């Protein structure tokens, strides 16, 4: 096991890129002793920690056209674009079995980032704080406007990507100064401020959560500042960054199976291309045990 951090960005269906990266890591037995992720990044992490290579790709390709997985019908019927019960109950327990035992017994430290709607600040739940329904993970992938607020341990929670979209600083605060960061956007990408129609919609929907609104309006600044910090650390050779090497044609809610498969393959390819760079950072700064 490698004494280094693995930091995983979200991105909805763009997370299939991360699935390809993590499957390459599993193939090479590249296991980090600390993993932190938000949204789709955290979802991919659980199959990595349970060492189930290919599981995330199987799920997406098998169920992407199933309305119970993601659909407007789901949003109208259950108040969530993503079918949370289908994803977190039906699939792992009946369709594509999840290895709960390996996951919960793994020595890997795992943190999933969420957003506290009342404070507008990020929260991080460790593996030991997660239940078998993965409620914290449900919260982390609960996107504003298309998912209900998740109530867990007395908190009102939403998408972890709102307040800490790339949780590198948290990994460093936890003592991991050397990290591998997996991004789901091309190099040079910068997020833009929320437009007026969307802002008005958010203000109406979340008027009871003023701190959450502030966080959502400031998200682009947090995201862009984090990317600048990542670029600086990458330039210094303190971290290894894996990001899509080709222009993305996949959006957050992509349902084109060919595009998604290509994105997975790109993640695998980019991880392979970065392998020597990753080993250089790890061997220079971190212990392997």
């Amino acid at each position: 096991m490698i004494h280094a951090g693995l930091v995983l960005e979200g991105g909805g269906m763009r997370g299939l890129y991360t699935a390809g990266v993590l499957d390459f890591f599993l193939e090479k037995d590249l296991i980090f002793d600390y993993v932190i992720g938000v949204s789709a990044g955290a979802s991919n992490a659980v199959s990595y920690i349970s060492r189930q290579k290919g599981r995330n790709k199987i799920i997406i390709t098998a169920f992407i056209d199933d309305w119970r997985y993601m659909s407007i019908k789901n949003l109208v019927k259950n108040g969530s674009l993503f079918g949370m019960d289908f994803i977190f109950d039906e699939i792992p327990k009946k369709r594509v079995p999840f290895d709960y035992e390996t996951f919960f017994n793994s020595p890997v430290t795992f943190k999933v980032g969420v957003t506290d709607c009342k404070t507008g600040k990020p929260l991080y739940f460790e593996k030991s704080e997660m239940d078998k329904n993965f409620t914290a993970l449900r919260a982390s992938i609960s996107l504003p406007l298309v998912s209900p607020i998740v109530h867990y341990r007395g908190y009102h929670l939403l998408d972890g990507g709102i307040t800490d979209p790339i949780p590198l600083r948290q990994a460093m605060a936890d003592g991991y100064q050397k990290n591998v960061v997996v991004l789901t956007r091309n190099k040079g990408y910068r997020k833009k401020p929320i437009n007026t129609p969307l802002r008005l919609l958010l203000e109406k929907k979340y008027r009871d959560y003023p701190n959450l609104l502030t966080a959502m309006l400031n998200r682009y600044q947090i995201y862009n500042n984090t990317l600048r910090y990542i670029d600086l650390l990458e330039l210094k050779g303190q971290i290894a960054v894996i990001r899509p090497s080709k222009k993305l044609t996949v959006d957050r809610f992509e349902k084109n199976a060919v595009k998604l498969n290509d994105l997975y393959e790109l993640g695998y390819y980019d991880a392979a291309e970065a392998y020597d760079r990753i080993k250089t950072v790890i061997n220079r700064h971190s212990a392997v045990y």
Side-chain angles (χ1 to χ4, degrees):
M1 192 173 292
I2 302 162
H3 184 56
L6 179 59
V7 180
L8 306 175
E9 183 182 9
M13 290 302 154
R14 291 193 304 274
L16 207 58
Y17 176 83
T18 304
V21 172
L22 297 184
D23 279 354
F24 176 81
F25 287 176
L26 287 174
E27 189 173 288
K28 293 295 183 180
D29 199 30
L30 197 62
I31 306 298
F32 296 79
D33 68 355
Y34 176 97
V35 181
I36 185 169
V38 298
S39 198
S43 293
N44 279 302
V46 297
S47 292
Y48 167 75
I49 294 169
S50 67
R51 302 204 182 196
Q52 292 177 271
K53 180 177 179 288
R55 183 174 180 274
N56 290 313
K57 180 186 178 184
I58 291 170
I59 290 172
I60 296 295
T61 55
F63 300 108
I64 192 62
D65 291 325
D66 192 317
W67 71 267
R68 294 170 297 175
Y69 186 87
M70 181 179 70
S71 65
I72 297 299
K73 179 179 179 179
N74 222 7
L75 182 62
V76 172
K77 183 177 180 180
N78 301 312
S80 175
L81 185 69
F82 292 95
M84 295 299 187
D85 289 339
F86 184 70
I87 292 171
F88 288 99
D89 188 23
E90 178 81 10
I91 291 177
K93 296 176 182 176
K94 299 179 181 179
R95 304 299 186 92
V96 188
F98 178 71
D99 189 343
Y100 291 94
E101 183 177 2
T102 297
F103 174 79
F104 283 108
N105 289 333
S106 170
V108 173
T109 297
F110 174 52
K111 286 192 172 183
V112 53
V114 297
T115 293
D116 184 334
C117 297
K118 291 184 177 180
T119 66
K121 301 293 183 182
L123 286 174
Y124 310 91
F125 289 102
E126 295 192 24
K127 178 155 55 73
S128 61
E129 299 174 290
M130 297 177 66
D131 56 17
K132 280 203 171 183
N133 292 321
F134 285 136
T135 308
L137 188 55
R138 293 185 187 214
S140 192
I141 69 169
S142 292
L143 304 176
L145 298 179
V146 296
S147 301
I149 290 173
V150 175
H151 299 271
Y152 185 58
R153 293 185 169 230
Y155 294 103
H156 296 188
L157 305 172
L158 275 178
D159 175 26
I162 297 171
T163 48
D164 195 5
I166 311 168
L168 174 60
R169 285 188 173 90
Q170 183 60 40
M172 299 178 75
D174 288 337
Y176 287 82
Q177 301 305 305
K178 310 306 169 185
N179 298 275
V180 173
V181 181
V182 182
L183 304 179
T184 57
R185 290 287 194 178
N186 297 114
K187 188 172 180 61
Y189 171 83
R190 292 295 184 268
K191 194 171 289 294
K192 297 178 180 179
I194 290 175
N195 59 43
T196 299
L198 180 56
R199 176 177 59 81
L200 294 174
L201 190 59
L202 290 170
E203 288 175 349
K204 181 179 180 180
K205 175 75 172 180
Y206 300 108
R207 58 184 177 273
D208 294 332
Y209 297 94
N211 293 323
L212 174 64
L213 279 170
T214 299
M216 288 191 286
L217 294 177
N218 291 336
R219 181 175 184 262
Y220 78 100
Q221 294 178 320
I222 296 171
Y223 187 85
N224 294 342
N225 287 339
T226 302
L227 284 179
R228 283 190 284 270
Y229 185 54
I230 286 171
D231 288 344
L232 176 63
L233 295 184
E234 183 182 24
L235 185 63
K236 291 181 176 180
Q238 295 179 5
I239 62 173
V241 181
I242 303 175
R243 52 166 68 86
S245 59
K246 295 181 180 179
K247 185 176 180 181
L248 290 178
T249 60
V250 172
D251 62 32
R252 180 180 291 271
F253 303 118
E254 186 64 61
K255 299 195 74 170
N256 185 303
V258 174
K259 287 185 177 182
L260 290 170
N261 184 72
D262 288 347
L263 186 61
Y264 170 88
E265 296 296 338
L266 181 63
Y268 185 94
Y269 172 83
D270 286 347
E273 287 291 301
Y275 188 47
D276 289 340
R277 183 159 36 94
I278 292 169
K279 288 193 296 183
T280 297
V281 170
I282 290 170
N283 292 337
R284 183 183 301 162
H285 300 291
S286 303
V288 179
Y289 60 91

